[in-house]
Structure formats: structure tokens, C-alpha cells
Amino acid sequence: MNVIVIGQTSYDITCNLTEKLVEDRKYRFENDFKCPGGPAFNSACLLGKWGIDTYLVSRINDDNFGKAAKREARICKVNLDYLIEDKELATPYSFILISEGKRTIFNVAGKSNKIKYTIGINNSDYILTDAHEKEISLDYFASFPHAVKIMDGGSFNNDRLEVAKKTDYLIVSAQFAQGYTGEIINESNYREIFTKVESINKKEAVITLGEKGLIYRCNGVISIMPAYKVNSIDTTGAGDIFHGSFTYFLMNGYDYYTSLHLAAKTAAISTEKIGGYTSIPDLKAVLQID
């Protein structure tokens, strides 16, 4: 079996702030942490590292950031034969500020050019997309109608909604759910909001809540799965690692509930290290830890 991962790659520059952020003030950092990242890149690296035949469909140029991303992806055994050729777009990059284990991301993505993309892959069993590439994602969905389609829904917009409607597993953040429904999730309305999100694809849906866990439906019951408890220092890439590991467990025959549980554990463990793809846990460790 193989998986095609479609979406954004970026280069992450992370700094750790040890005091409260105050407006109109200059901050000096003695150290930073640099590595490739982005939703699709991180998910693809996990899948490749864990032994899945993985193809990354993303806009990565031949600039310094892009070369670094390609080098690390190949180390993780990710196939880069079907990248999106957009020579006028620099590889996106992000500034990430960590404070008390939480991160704020400033993503410099540039404006993607509309280009002609030809699908060269002959078959696909699973497709994971972050919906940054709406047209290409929908083309892959149409080309491989029997593939299992999973979406990583970060923030909400109408382009991502179009992709979301055609997925089998719609896994979105609280930010996406709140953008779609216009309501803030709380203890009294989370079932109502979940039902509205679930109606988008009319199949399986999940709303991730970070350290508060996730909302899901199993055997007809909408519930909150508590987050796995860890000593978190950096949440960068945790959502991407969740999506990649969820896809892995589905591909390897785990049932829906177990796939969610193990993916949540994998994502939580990743926050104990700094960085995105650099914090991908070892599969054996995930399966051994209680």
C-alpha cells in the first residue's frame, strides 16, 4: 500500500521566549532551532520513517530552504518524484515563537501560482491532504476514487471546505470548527458543533483540541478523548504528526478508535521535543508506552 501526502512544506525557524511577550519591545535570542516543516512535510516524513511507501506532493523549490527540506525528506525515505513545479515561488518558511510550551507561528507562504500539474502516479491507496492545494487535491481524489481520503483541516476557508466535503476522514482543529460554525467550542455545545462539522463530509469527523484532547463519534456516541499526559515543551508539528500517525495506523489495520488513541499518543509524545519532523517518535516506543 502507498499514501500520497499533498500540501505545504515550509522551513521552520524556532525561538524560545523565556518571559512574557510585551508589545513594542525588542527581544534578543542567543539560539534558535532550524528544520524543515509544514503540515504535509511533517506527516510525510512520519509515514516514510515508519516504513510506508510515501509520496509528497508539495511546492518545494531549489533554494536553500527547499534543498534542506528535500534532503531531510529523502532521509525519511519519502518519494519526491511528483513535487509541484512552481519555480517562481520561494519555499515557504515560518518563524515560530515558543512560550510556556505553546507556539505562535508566522508563516511566510508567498502566493502560489496557478500551474498545470500532471498526475504521474499510477495508483493510490490512501491520500492525506492539508487542502492548501485545493485543485491538485481534488484532481487526486477524482483520479483515485477508491483511495481512502483523509484531510488535515487547520484553519477554515471556503477552498478547504470544498476538499473537506469529499473526504472519508475529516480531522479538523478547533479553529477550523469555530470558523465553519461561527461558534466557540465549550463543554455545553461541543456535541452540537461536532454534529455540524460531521455534516460536511457525512462520514467520519474529528475535532482536535490540543492539550484538551479531541472530539469524535464512536458507536453512535459523541465523546471527548482526553489528551495523553506528557511534559510538553513545544507543540510545533503535533497536529501534523497526529494526522500522519492516524493514517499509518489505519493503513495497518487498526480500528478507528485505536487509530485515534495511538495517534493522540504519538502527537503528545512529540511535544516533549523541540521542532516538527525532528520530534517524530519512534514507532516501537509509541506502541510500548502505556
Side-chain angles (χ1 to χ4, degrees), residues 93-223:
Y93 60 96
S94 294
F95 294 106
I96 303 173
L97 184 65
I98 301 173
S99 179
E100 299 179 344
K102 303 290 182 63
R103 86 277 190 263
T104 301
I105 301 176
F106 305 89
N107 181 238
V108 184
K111 185 175 180 180
S112 299
N113 299 294
K114 191 169 184 178
I115 61 173
K116 184 177 180 180
Y117 179 84
T118 302
I119 294 175
I121 303 171
N122 294 325
N123 70 289
S124 175
D125 302 298
Y126 283 74
I127 301 172
L128 169 59
T129 178
D130 63 18
H132 278 86
E133 300 287 349
K134 182 190 79 170
E135 299 298 339
I136 291 175
S137 295
L138 293 175
D139 285 348
Y140 269 98
F141 286 4
S143 297
F144 306 111
H146 300 297
V148 177
K149 302 166 184 68
I150 303 163
M151 178 172 156
D152 166 2
S155 57
F156 174 78
N157 62 39
N158 288 327
D159 280 351
R160 289 172 192 159
L161 181 60
E162 285 188 52
V163 178
K165 291 177 180 178
K166 298 183 180 296
T167 56
D168 300 301
Y169 294 92
L170 177 59
I171 306 175
V172 303
S173 67
Q175 183 183 4
F176 183 104
Q178 291 166 175
Y180 175 67
T181 63
E183 300 175 69
I184 302 298
I185 298 174
N186 57 51
E187 291 183 2
S188 64
N189 69 2
Y190 75 85
R191 291 182 178 86
E192 178 185 350
I193 289 179
F194 179 84
T195 301
K196 290 179 180 179
V197 170
E198 193 178 42
S199 70
I200 295 174
N201 67 335
K202 300 179 177 62
K203 293 183 180 179
E204 301 289 357
V206 176
I207 302 176
T208 58
L209 306 172
E211 64 184 12
K212 295 180 180 179
L214 58 87
I215 308 170
Y216 71 111
R217 184 193 291 272
C218 190
N219 297 324
V221 179
I222 300 172
S223 304

Side-chain angles (χ1 to χ4, degrees), residues 126 148 150 169 245-254 256 259:
Y126 283 74
V148 177
I150 303 163
Y169 294 92
S245 56
F246 174 76
T247 303
Y248 173 88
F249 292 119
L250 275 186
M251 293 181 75
N252 281 273
Y254 289 81
Y256 179 56
S259 295

